[in-house]
Amino acid sequence: MSKKIVLVGNPNVGKSVIFSQLTGTRVVISNYPGTTVEYISGRLKIDQETFALIDAPGTYSLEPTCRAEEVAANLVDAADIIVNVIDATNLERNLYLTSQLLDKNVPMIVVLNMVDEAAQKGIDLNYSRLQYLLGIPVIPTVALSGEGLKELVNALSGSARGGDESLPSNGRLAWEGHVVRVGDKPRAARGSDGKFSSPDERWAWVGSIVGEVQQITHRHRTWLETLELASLKPHTGIPLAAFILFLSFKIIIGLGEFLHELLEHVIFEPFYLPLVESLSLWMGQEGFWHDLLIGTLVQGEIHLEESMGVLTTGVFAIFGVVLPFLVMFYLVLGFLEDCGYLPRLAVIMDRIMHRLGLHGFAVIPMILGLGCNVPAVMAARNLESRRERFLACTLLSITVPCAAQMSMVTGLVGRYGGVYLGVIFATLFFIWIVLGLILDRFLPGYTPSMIMEIPPYRWPHFKSQRQKLGMRLSHFLVEALPFIFGGIVLINLLYILGVTDFLANLFAPVIQGLLGLPREAISTLFVGFLRKDVAVAMLLPLGLSARQFVVGAIILVTYFPCAATFAILSKELGVKGMAVSAAIMIITSLSAGTMLNLLLETVLSPVHLALALVGLGILIAIVGGGTSDRRESAAEAELPLAKEGSDYYFS
Amino acid sequence: MFALKLVSLAEMKAGQTGIVRTINGGQGMVARLQALGLHPGKKITKLNTVFQKGPVVVEINRSRIALGYGRACRIFMEIK
C-alpha cells in the first residue's frame, strides 16, 4: 500500500486547492468553511514513488465536534506524513491545531498558504524563524496561483526519504536555506515533558511563537472590508441579503429563460425536429421501438415536450430546458460561494432558522440543495447534532426542489402564467416553516446555537469558477442521462405492460379524489423516483389545468426524494431515520396537495393564495416557533453549567 | 475593592472590546470555542449590534466568528 500524505488544517485555508493542484483531481473549492465534508484521495508521484494524497475536511482541533471533523481526526491517525495547511492571515488560530498535530510525532510539513493575502493585509511573517521555532519545514505558498507548490513537493520528497534532506533554497519564495530535520523537537518552549497539559498551555505556546514571527502594520480599511461589516449588521445586512437573493433569482430565471428560448428556436426547432421527424417516418410512425424512441404523436405530429420518447422529450428536457437554467444557477452559486457571501447570509438568516430549530449555518445546505439535494445532504454533516441533521435533511429533501426539477417547472409553467410559479414557491415556503416548526416541537432535545467562522470576501478566481461549473455540469450529464432515459423507458414499459392502468385504478381515490389529478398521473410518481425533471415533463401530455399543474408540481417536489438523494439520505440518517423521514414526506405531500386542490382558484386567486401562504408562514413562525430556543434557555436556567453532552454524539 | 463586573457577550455594545473571563457552558462548547481561540483571558471585539436575539459577530485575533445568541449569553466579559 502506498504511503498516505494527509492535508490537514482549519476549514477554508485552501487544502482542496493544494490537493487539486498537486494531483490534478478536480474538487469543489469555495470560500466558506465546510466545503469538504468527505475525504478525497488522489495519487501523487514523487521521485518514482506513488503516494496517496488525502484531502481531509477542515477542523479546528483534533477533538471532533461534527461528523466532518471526525473524518479529519481519523485521517490524521492514519497518516504517514502530515501536511498542515495554515492560513497565513490567521497564524494564531491555525497554530493551535498545529500544536496538536505536533504531538502525533508523525513527519510533518507546514504549508503557509495565502501569503499574498497576508502581505496585502500588512502582516509580515518571518518564515525562517517560524520554521526554526516549529522545528519542521515551513513552505510559504499561494495555492491558487501555484506559487510555492514545487517547493512543497521537494520538501515532501525530503520527508519521504526519512527527513534528512535540506530544504530547497532556490525560487522566489525561498528563504535562508535552513537545514531542518523532520521530526526534530520543536524549539519553542513547550511543557516540561514536551507535551502540553492543557489548552491554555497550548495557547501560551502559540502566543509566544506568533509574538516572535509576526509583525502587523496597520492598514486602512479597504472598501471590501467595509462591505464585510455592512453585510453582517442587521440594518444594512438584511436589505443587502434581500437584494442579492432577488438579483440571483432574476439572473437565473431571466437569463435561463432567454437561453432556453434561444436553444429552442435556433437549434431544436429548425434543425433537431426535422431530423427526428424523418426518423419517425422511416420507422413507420408506430411500433415498440418508435414508441420508445420517438414516443406518441400529438395530433399526428412530433411534439418535443409532450411526445415522451427518449429522443424527443428525453433529449429536449436535458439539453433544451434543464441545462440552460442549470448553467445560470451554478454560475450564480459559484460566485456566491467563492466571494464568501454564504456565511454572511447564514448570520442574517440565523434568527429565522432558529424559529425552525435550526441555526444560520443550515442555510448553506438549503442553498446547495437548490442545485442538487445530494451535496446538500452531505453539507449537513457540518451541523453539530444528530437532531439538527435530521431536521435539516428532512426539511431540505421535502421542500427544496433541485435545479433540474425547478427548471422544468419554470419552463412549463409559462403556458399557465408566471403567477403559478409564485404559488409553487409560496407553498414550499409555507411547508418549510410549518414542518420545521412541528419537527422542532416533537423532536426531543434542542439545537445549540451556532459557532461559525466568517471568511473575508475574496474575488472569485476565474479558473476555479470555470472548473467548478464544468464539474457540476458534467456531473449532471453523467448522472442524469442514464436516469432520464431509464425513466422514459420505464414509463413506456409500464404502460405497454398494463401496470400503469392497474395502479391508476388502485390509487384513483387518492389521486382523483384528494388531489384532483387525472388517474394516469400515478405514473409520474414512479418516474419521479428516478428523475424528477422528467416526471414534471410528464405532467404536460396529461392536459392539466393550471390548478392541476400546480398540485402535480408540489406533489412531485415533496412526495419522496429521487433515487440518488434517497441513497445518500439513508446513509446519513440510518434506516430508522429514513423511514421516519419518508413517512413525514408522504403525509406532508398529500396534505399540501389536498390543500392546494381545495383552495386554489376555488376559494382564493393564485395571487391571493401565494400572499396568504407567505404571510401566514411568517406569522406562524413568529407566534409558534422557537421551541429549541426555549428549551435551551430552560436547560440553562436549571443547570448553570449546562450539560452539553448532547452537543455532539456519534450516530 | 470593587467586585469584578462581568457582562455577557450578548449585552456588550458593538465596537466594544473586552477580555473573556468565564464561559458558562458544557465541555463541548468550551472545547469548540477554545479551538477557535475564544478562551478565558483572550481579548475580543464585538462587531455587530444584536437584533432580535440574532447572532453576535466577534473579532478574535484576525478572524471573525459568529456565535448564536444562546451561546453569546453564556460568555462573560470584563470590559475596561
Side-chain angles (χ1 to χ4, degrees):
Chain A
M1 229 176 69
S2 50
K3 280 189 178 172
K4 289 193 186 103
I5 303 176
V6 183
L7 290 161
V8 198
N10 284 181
N12 212 36
V13 295
K15 295 176 294 298
S16 296
V17 184
I18 293 176
F19 175 79
S20 146
Q21 294 268 26
L22 287 184
T23 60
T25 313
R26 290 172 167 196
V27 286
V28 172
I29 302 158
S30 309
N31 181 21
Y32 66 84
T35 307
T36 312
V37 289
E38 185 68 89
Y39 78 88
I40 307 161
S41 179
R43 282 156 182 275
L44 176 64
K45 219 171 163 187
I46 305 170
D47 305 336
Q48 315 305 320
E49 195 182 343
T50 310
F51 292 88
L53 185 69
I54 296 170
D55 182 20
T59 183
Y60 295 105
S61 79
L62 292 179
E63 295 110 36
T65 57
C66 70
R67 284 190 62 173
E69 292 187 1
E70 188 188 321
V71 172
N74 290 339
L75 285 171
V76 167
D77 289 334
D80 294 306
I81 298 172
I82 294 173
V83 174
N84 177 208
V85 185
I86 286 182
D87 175 356
T89 64
N90 204 328
L91 193 59
E92 186 158 355
R93 199 201 57 224
N94 282 257
L95 281 177
Y96 183 77
L97 178 66
T98 308
S99 80
Q100 292 186 323
L101 291 171
L102 282 170
D103 285 351
K104 295 275 168 190
N105 274 325
V106 175
M108 183 164 134
I109 291 175
V110 164
V111 168
L112 206 54
N113 195 24
M114 297 189 260
V115 284
D116 57 335
E117 203 176 298
Q120 243 170 45
K121 288 190 170 166
I123 303 170
D124 186 30
L125 295 170
N126 186 340
Y127 307 143
S128 57
R129 188 74 194 149
L130 180 62
Q131 175 163 288
Y132 174 79
L133 291 172
L134 292 177
I136 51 171
V138 173
I139 322 277
T141 61
V142 181
L144 266 180
S145 66
E147 232 172 307
L149 294 181
K150 230 179 107 191
E151 286 80 356
L152 170 61
V153 173
N154 286 340
L156 278 171
S157 106
S159 5
R161 263 179 277 153
D164 286 330
E165 292 299 308
S166 66
L167 283 163
S169 55
N170 54 351
R172 225 147 68 71
L173 288 161
W175 52 105
E176 294 153 45
H178 262 288
V179 180
V180 174
R181 284 163 202 280
V182 176
D184 271 2
K185 281 268 169 289
R187 289 163 185 85
R190 296 170 76 178
S192 48
D193 55 347
K195 295 248 177 193
F196 298 103
S197 59
S198 72
D200 290 337
E201 253 179 50
R202 283 185 199 281
W203 280 113
W205 177 80
V206 168
S208 73
I209 292 184
V210 173
E212 263 195 72
V213 301
Q214 178 174 278
Q215 265 193 328
I216 294 166
T217 338
H218 185 75
R219 294 279 163 100
H220 274 291
R221 211 187 259 174
T222 62
W223 66 270
L224 215 54
E225 282 167 321
T226 312
L227 191 65
E228 262 172 32
L229 280 181
S231 56
L232 289 173
K233 290 181 176 163
H235 60 279
T236 42
I238 293 172
L240 194 70
F243 174 73
I244 288 175
L245 292 180
F246 176 75
L247 195 68
S248 307
F249 187 76
K250 273 286 168 198
I251 291 174
I252 296 165
I253 300 281
L255 288 181
E257 189 76 30
F258 172 76
L259 273 179
H260 162 59
E261 301 262 311
L262 198 73
L263 282 172
E264 186 171 1
H265 295 132
V266 176
I267 295 176
F268 280 96
E269 279 178 3
F271 297 107
Y272 188 72
L273 192 58
L275 212 70
V276 184
E277 273 167 348
S278 41
L279 181 70
S280 165
L281 281 176
W282 181 75
M283 292 179 90
Q285 296 199 330
E286 56 182 8
F288 177 77
W289 288 106
H290 182 272
D291 282 353
L292 216 57
L293 291 176
I294 310 290
T296 40
L297 302 184
V298 181
Q299 290 158 0
E301 280 182 31
I302 292 174
H303 197 291
L304 282 178
E305 281 171 341
E306 295 186 23
S307 283
M308 297 316 294
V310 169
L311 292 178
T312 50
T313 308
V315 170
F316 184 69
I318 301 177
F319 296 99
V321 186
V322 173
L323 207 57
F325 289 102
L326 209 64
V327 169
M328 291 320 302
F329 176 82
Y330 279 131
L331 268 178
V332 171
L333 178 68
F335 182 83
L336 289 179
E337 277 179 335
D338 286 15
C339 72
Y341 185 68
L342 292 184
R344 287 164 175 86
L345 185 65
V347 169
I348 296 296
M349 293 288 284
D350 186 61
R351 200 62 215 117
I352 303 172
M353 304 301 278
H354 263 269
R355 308 306 295 174
L356 314 181
L358 289 167
H359 58 62
F361 192 88
V363 158
I364 294 178
M366 300 285 172
I367 293 217
L368 293 179
L370 288 170
C372 173
N373 280 357
V374 174
V377 170
M378 307 247 309
R381 286 188 193 164
N382 287 305
L383 300 172
E384 279 175 70
S385 65
R386 194 172 154 71
R387 180 185 201 268
E388 256 174 296
R389 281 203 305 278
F390 179 83
L391 233 167
C393 288
T394 304
L395 266 190
L396 140 87
S397 50
I398 294 180
T399 61
V400 180
C402 70
Q405 188 180 12
M406 224 48 228
S407 316
M408 215 60 215
V409 172
T410 314
L412 298 183
V413 85
R415 69 201 64 223
Y416 302 110
V419 64
Y420 292 101
L421 191 61
V423 177
I424 293 172
F425 276 119
T427 310
L428 291 177
F429 173 75
F430 182 76
I431 302 174
W432 186 69
I433 297 264
V434 174
L435 189 62
L437 222 121
I438 294 174
L439 286 178
D440 186 28
R441 182 150 296 184
F442 287 104
L443 286 174
Y446 62 87
T447 303
S449 52
M450 77 173 162
I451 300 178
M452 178 186 64
E453 192 199 348
I454 304 168
Y457 279 138
R458 296 187 171 111
W459 282 114
H461 197 257
F462 179 73
K463 198 178 133 205
S464 65
Q465 285 271 295
R466 200 189 55 206
Q467 267 187 9
K468 188 150 67 174
L469 181 66
M471 252 174 72
R472 284 171 162 165
L473 292 182
S474 65
H475 189 76
F476 164 72
L477 290 175
V478 170
E479 293 269 288
L481 279 170
F483 276 105
I484 289 183
F485 293 151
I488 289 176
V489 171
L490 180 77
I491 43 163
N492 281 306
L493 282 178
L494 288 178
Y495 187 76
I496 294 166
L497 295 175
V499 180
T500 313
D501 264 350
F502 172 73
L503 289 171
N505 286 330
L506 192 65
F507 287 102
V510 178
I511 304 279
Q512 279 181 319
L514 284 179
L515 305 174
L517 294 172
R519 59 177 69 189
E520 292 77 29
I522 188 85
S523 57
T524 61
L525 296 181
F526 302 126
V527 177
F529 184 60
L530 290 181
R531 281 301 298 183
K532 293 218 172 179
D533 41 7
V534 178
V536 174
M538 282 174 64
L539 292 173
L540 209 56
L542 297 176
L544 303 179
S545 69
R547 178 174 70 212
Q548 288 174 317
F549 181 80
V550 171
V551 172
I554 287 291
I555 294 287
L556 284 176
V557 172
T558 54
Y559 81 109
F560 208 72
C562 71
T565 312
F566 177 74
I568 190 88
L569 262 183
S570 320
K571 200 175 140 204
E572 296 295 311
L573 302 180
V575 177
K576 207 177 143 203
M578 185 65 234
V580 176
S581 191
I584 295 170
M585 287 166 191
I586 293 166
I587 295 168
T588 310
S589 186
L590 279 177
S591 346
T594 310
M595 179 200 77
L596 278 177
N597 181 36
L598 291 177
L599 294 180
L600 183 61
E601 277 166 346
T602 48
V603 181
L604 290 167
S605 74
V607 182
H608 287 142
L609 183 61
L611 290 176
L613 284 172
V614 171
L616 202 61
I618 294 173
L619 193 73
I620 290 176
I622 293 171
V623 177
T627 309
S628 224
D629 280 0
R630 281 194 296 276
R631 287 185 191 156
E632 189 177 10
S633 354
E636 193 194 337
E638 236 168 71
L639 296 164
L641 278 162
K643 268 206 195 118
E644 266 196 48
S646 61
D647 211 3
Y648 170 68
Y649 43 92
F650 298 85
S651 50
Chain B
M1 287 294 285
F2 293 103
L4 197 63
K5 190 175 175 285
L6 298 180
V7 225
S8 84
L9 193 54
E11 298 161 311
M12 255 169 89
K13 290 187 186 71
Q16 251 181 345
T17 301
I19 295 170
V20 182
R21 285 297 169 216
T22 326
I23 299 176
N24 197 354
Q27 241 189 339
M29 170 176 161
V30 172
R32 230 181 139 193
L33 292 173
Q34 178 80 256
L36 279 161
L38 201 157
H39 50 99
K42 188 77 202 168
K43 202 162 119 180
I44 64 178
T45 307
K46 181 171 170 179
L47 293 177
N48 69 340
T49 36
V50 174
F51 171 74
Q52 282 286 308
K53 298 188 175 180
V56 173
V57 182
V58 294
E59 189 168 292
I60 306 175
N61 300 328
R62 305 186 64 83
S63 60
R64 304 209 161 99
I65 314 271
L67 295 164
Y69 186 81
R71 282 191 161 144
C73 289
R74 287 146 69 179
I75 298 169
F76 294 93
M77 312 284 303
E78 179 196 339
I79 295 159
K80 296 249 174 76

